[in-house]
Amino acid sequence: MIPADHPRYASLLAREKMADAVRSGMVVIEGASAHGRGEAFDCLLGERTTPGAARAGKTAAAFLIRAARPVISVNGNTAALAAGEIGALARASGALVEVNLFHRTDERLEKITRHLEEHGVSVLQGTAERLLPLSHDRALCLRGGIYAADVVLVPLEDGDRCAALVAMGKTVITIDLNPLSRTARTATVTIVDELTRALPVITRSCGELSAQEADELIRDHDNTRLLREAMATMKETLTHAVD
Ligand code: ATP
C-alpha cells in the first residue's frame, strides 16, 4: 500500500502498476526498463505538463478530430498505465483502438485486450497482416485499423515503426518523455510529457476545440519548436538544480 500523501505517490503508483503488469504477463520486462528511462526524463521536466506539452496535446486533439480514420495504437505499457484514459480519448475523438506489440504473442494480445475491455475500451479485432515495412512483429497490423488510418496516435513508440508510419504518409502523434528519441524526432506531433498526464489533455481538447480552432492549430504546428521548448525546460532544470 502506497500512502496517498507520499511525495512520490504518482510515480510509485505507476511503478506498482508496471510491476503488476509484468507479473501478469501483460508487460515484458523490457517494457519496465523503458518506463524507467521515461521516469528519468520526467525528473528533468519537473514532473509536470509544461506549456509546450499542453500546446502539443491540443494540437494532437486537433489532428485527431479533423482526421477521417484516426487510430490509437496501444502497447503493453500504455495498457498497463492508462487503459481508462485510452478509453476516454477513444470516445472523445472517435478513434479506433488497436493493440500493436513489439514482443508479440497471442497470449499477450489476449491479456492486453481483456484488460482494455475491462476498462471500457472497445478494441478492434481481426486478423493482423504484415503490412508495415518492418522486419519485426510491429509490422503486423489490421488492414481496417492502423494500415488504413490517416492519423495514428502511438504513445511510447519505437523509432522504426514511427518512421515507417510517417513514410506511409500518415500523421503520427506520439507521447514520449525523451525528446531525443528517434520517435520524438520523427513524429508529426511529439508530446513531451508523461502518458497519464498527456492523455487527459488531449481528451479535454477534443471536446473543446471548434473545427476552425483545430484547423488553426494544425496550420501553425511546428514540431521542431515543441522539441526545442522541451529541451530548453530540461536544460533549465539542470542549470538551476543546485541553486
Ligand atoms: P526510439 O526507438 O524512438 O529511439 P527508445 O528505444 O529510446 O525509442 P523505447 O524503449 O522504444 O525507447 O520506447 C520507450 C520510450 O517511451 C522512451 O523514450 C521513454 O522515454 C518513453 N516513456 C516511457 N514511459 C513513459 C511514460 N509513462 N510517458 C511518456 N513516455 C514514456
Side-chain angles (χ1 to χ4, degrees):
M1 275 299 286
I2 304 160
D5 61 351
H6 192 287
R8 305 211 41 74
Y9 179 73
S11 163
L12 293 179
L13 199 66
R15 280 188 192 176
E16 195 174 68
K17 281 187 181 177
M18 289 301 292
D20 286 347
V22 169
R23 280 189 285 268
S24 77
M26 202 161 64
V27 166
V28 289
I29 195 75
E30 291 84 347
S33 159
H35 179 78
R37 168 140 58 191
E39 283 189 332
F41 280 100
D42 205 14
C43 282
L44 297 178
L45 266 190
E47 295 177 311
R48 70 197 161 96
T49 298
T50 63
R55 198 170 56 253
K58 253 177 125 170
T59 306
F63 276 104
L64 286 169
I65 60 175
R66 299 302 274 158
R69 290 176 306 279
V71 173
I72 305 171
S73 173
V74 174
N75 64 7
N77 284 31
T78 302
L81 292 173
E85 290 89 338
I86 289 291
L89 177 56
R91 288 187 291 278
S93 64
L96 300 172
V97 175
E98 179 173 338
V99 178
N100 181 275
L101 304 176
F102 186 81
H103 300 277
R104 188 183 177 103
T105 63
D106 288 344
E107 199 189 342
R108 275 194 79 213
L109 270 176
E110 272 165 36
K111 279 186 180 154
I112 292 167
T113 301
R114 204 178 324 125
H115 179 76
L116 289 166
E117 286 174 348
E118 281 165 8
H119 286 79
V121 185
S122 166
V123 180
L124 203 57
Q125 309 280 351
T127 307
E129 298 171 66
R130 204 164 277 281
L131 296 170
L132 304 188
L134 295 167
S135 54
H136 50 75
D137 276 354
R138 291 201 94 168
L140 290 163
C141 66
L142 299 174
R143 201 168 274 281
I146 289 168
Y147 183 71
D150 54 347
V151 175
V152 197
L153 170 63
V154 287
L156 323 184
E157 182 57 37
D158 70 74
D160 287 4
R161 192 168 75 115
C162 182
L165 293 169
V166 169
M168 289 167 82
K170 300 180 193 301
T171 294
V172 179
I173 302 162
T174 194
I175 302 169
D176 191 337
L177 280 159
N178 177 6
L180 301 169
S181 76
R182 291 172 306 155
T183 303
R185 288 182 287 124
T186 312
T188 318
V189 182
T190 305
I191 305 168
V192 183
D193 200 2
E194 201 282 323
L195 178 73
T196 59
R197 291 198 305 265
L199 288 171
V201 174
I202 313 175
T203 302
R204 212 168 29 250
S205 300
C206 283
E208 288 172 358
L209 287 174
S210 68
Q212 193 192 336
E213 286 167 331
D215 289 343
E216 278 167 22
L217 281 164
I218 291 169
R219 198 191 52 223
D220 296 342
H221 173 59
D222 178 350
N223 212 46
T224 305
R225 187 181 66 202
L226 289 178
L227 291 175
R228 283 210 183 105
E229 283 174 8
M231 288 184 214
T233 301
M234 292 181 178
K235 194 170 156 202
E236 189 79 357
T237 305
L238 285 171
T239 307
H240 298 294
V242 289
D243 288 352

